[in-house]
C-alpha cells in the first residue's frame, strides 16, 4: 500500500557565525583573577580564559599578547587594590621594616602571587614605590646604592620565603588532616643525640607556626646593615 506523501522538513536555519561578543580588558583581568584564585596559576591559559569570557583566543590578543603580559596585569591589579602605602617613620631602619611588612601583609593572603614573583622575572610596577623606599632608606643608613640593592634582595628573599613556606604548609595541612611526618620525627627524638630539639619536640610545630615575621625582618635588616 503506498505511503501517504510526507512533505520534507525544511533544513534547520544555520546560526550566523558573526563576530564573537566584544569584551573589555576589565572582564579579561577579572576572569583571569577568578581562575587563579580558585585553581592556581597553572590552570590559567589563554584558551581557558577565552572560554570563560565567551570569546576566542584570537580576540584576547587584542587586549594581551600572551600569558606573561596577563600575569603582569594581574600583579598590577592586585597591588593597586591591596598594597597600601604606609605612613613612613623618620628612622630609616624602621622605614625599611614598615615597607617590607606592608608588602608581606598584602601578599600573604594570595599565594599564587608569591609563586609568580619568586620566578624573579615578573613584577608589578605599582609596587615600585615600596622598593624605592627600602633602597633609599638603606642608602640613608650608609650603604652604597649597589649594597642597598643587594640588601633589598636579601630582605625580599626572606619575605617571599616566609610566605611560600607558610602557604605550602597550610595547603598540606588542609589536604592531609593527620599527624605529619615531621611531627612524628620530632616526637620521638633521642635526647642524647639531639638534647635541644628533643626538649621542644612536641612543641616544634606550634613554635614554628608562631608569627615571628616582623622580629625576624628587623634581624635581617640589622644583618644587612652590619654586613657592610
Amino acid at each position: 500500500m503506498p505511503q501517504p506523501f510526507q512533505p520534507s522538513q525544511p533544513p534547520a536555519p544555520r546560526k550566523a557565525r558573526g563576530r564573537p561578543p566584544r569584551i573589555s580588558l576589565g572582564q579579561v583581568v577579572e576572569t583571569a583573577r577568578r581562575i587563579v584564585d580558585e585553581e592556581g596559576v597553572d590552570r590559567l591559559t589563554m584558551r581557558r580564559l577565552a572560554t570563560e569570557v565567551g570569546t576566542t583566543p584570537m580576540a584576547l590578543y587584542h587586549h594581551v599578547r600572551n600569558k606573561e603580559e596577563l600575569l603582569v596585569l594581574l600583579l598590577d591589579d592586585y597591588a593597586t587594590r591591596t598594597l597600601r602605602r604606609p605612613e613612613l617613620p623618620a628612622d630609616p631602619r624602621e622605614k625599611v621594616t614598615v615597607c617590607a611588612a606592608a608588602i608581606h601583609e598584602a601578599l600573604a593572603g594570595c599565594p599564587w602571587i608569591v609563586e609568580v614573583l619568586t620566578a624573579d622575572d615578573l613584577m608589578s610596577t605599582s609596587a615600585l614605590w615600596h622598593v624605592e623606599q627600602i633602597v633609599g632608606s638603606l642608602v640613608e643608613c650608609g650603604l652604597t646604592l649597589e649594597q642597598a640593592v643587594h640588601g633589598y634582595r636579601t630582605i625580599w628573599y626572606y619575605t617571599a620565603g616566609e610566605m611560600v613556606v607558610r602557604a605550602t604548609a597550610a595547603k598540606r595541612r588542609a589536604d592531609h588532616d593527620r599527624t605529619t611526618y615531621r611531627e612524628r620525627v620530632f616526637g620521638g627524638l633521642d635526647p642524647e643525640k639531639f638534647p635541644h630539639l628533643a626538649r621542644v619536640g612536641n612543641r616544634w610545630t606550634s613554635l614554628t607556626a608562631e608569627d615571628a615575621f616582623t622580629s625576624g625582618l628587623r634581624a635581617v635588616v640589622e644583618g644587612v646593615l652590619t654586613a657592610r
Side-chain angles (χ1 to χ4, degrees), residues 9 33 47 66 176 181:
Q9 296 293 324
R33 183 173 69 238
R47 184 176 298 278
N66 48 42
H176 305 285
Y181 176 73

Side-chain angles (χ1 to χ4, degrees), residues 26-100:
Q27 288 175 283
V28 172
V29 172
E30 181 180 352
T31 305
R33 183 173 69 238
R34 177 175 56 78
I35 293 172
V36 296
D37 281 344
E38 294 176 357
E39 303 179 39
V41 176
D42 291 341
R43 299 301 299 272
L44 177 64
T45 65
M46 299 299 278
R47 184 176 298 278
R48 166 75 185 281
L49 181 58
T51 300
E52 292 285 338
V53 297
T55 188
T56 64
M58 188 59 66
L60 290 181
Y61 294 122
H62 292 295
H63 296 289
V64 290
R65 289 176 295 181
N66 48 42
K67 180 177 177 178
E68 183 175 282
E69 185 173 297
L70 179 60
L71 289 174
V72 170
L73 287 174
L74 286 175
L75 291 175
D76 268 332
D77 170 71
Y78 189 84
T80 301
R81 291 184 295 107
T82 64
L83 185 55
R84 64 182 180 86
R85 294 188 177 186
E87 183 176 346
L88 298 178
D91 179 17
R93 277 178 166 79
E94 195 60 23
K95 194 185 300 183
V96 172
T97 302
V98 166
C99 286

Side-chain angles (χ1 to χ4, degrees), residues 84-161:
R84 64 182 180 86
R85 294 188 177 186
E87 183 176 346
L88 298 178
D91 179 17
R93 277 178 166 79
E94 195 60 23
K95 194 185 300 183
V96 172
T97 302
V98 166
C99 286
I103 294 174
H104 180 271
E105 178 185 351
L107 300 185
C110 195
W112 73 261
I113 284 190
V114 180
E115 179 185 344
V116 172
L117 293 176
T118 50
D120 218 22
D121 60 342
L122 300 180
M123 61 175 295
S124 166
T125 54
S126 300
L128 286 180
W129 182 87
H130 294 74
V131 180
E132 170 67 24
Q133 301 307 316
I134 292 173
V135 171
S137 298
L138 293 174
V139 171
E140 281 188 66
C141 291
L143 271 61
T144 66
L145 182 57
E146 292 75 15
Q147 289 173 329
V149 171
H150 295 157
Y152 162 75
R153 298 301 292 175
T154 301
I155 292 166
W156 166 242
Y157 289 157
Y158 166 71
T159 303

